[in-house]
Amino acid sequence: MENVIVLSTIENTGKDIKNAPFWKEAYHKDEVTKEMLKNGKLWFEYHVKFSGLLPVQLTKTNTLRG
């Protein structure tokens, strides 16, 4: 299993990680620039545990302010 940090402007409120709404606008941490973070939106940092390509568990969530 691999832990990956994913950033999104969509807050996750449900328990189903595979169909979570934040996947519609999710970015790998390395893809996000400082300019993107300062766009005025609230960003969320999700620590997701993957088994291969399938997300299995949301292990941690942080709120980022740009």
Side-chain angles (χ1 to χ4, degrees):
M1 297 230 186
E2 179 182 2
N3 288 322
V4 177
I5 297 175
V6 178
L7 299 175
S8 178
T9 57
I10 300 173
E11 185 175 12
N12 184 43
T13 55
K15 302 263 184 200
D16 184 12
I17 188 68
K18 291 179 186 175
N19 298 312
F22 72 85
W23 292 117
K24 295 177 186 171
E25 194 175 320
Y27 301 92
H28 192 272
K29 188 173 183 176
D30 296 339
E31 297 174 327
V32 178
T33 64
K34 291 179 184 178
E35 292 79 22
M36 289 173 70
L37 290 173
K38 294 185 182 204
N39 67 358
K41 293 182 181 179
L42 193 61
W43 284 79
F44 299 93
E45 179 182 77
Y46 299 106
H47 295 245
V48 182
K49 187 177 286 186
F50 281 85
S51 176
L53 297 176
L54 297 174
V56 176
Q57 182 181 17
L58 184 62
T59 58
K60 186 177 177 183
T61 302
N62 293 323
T63 303
L64 305 176
R65 302 209 182 264

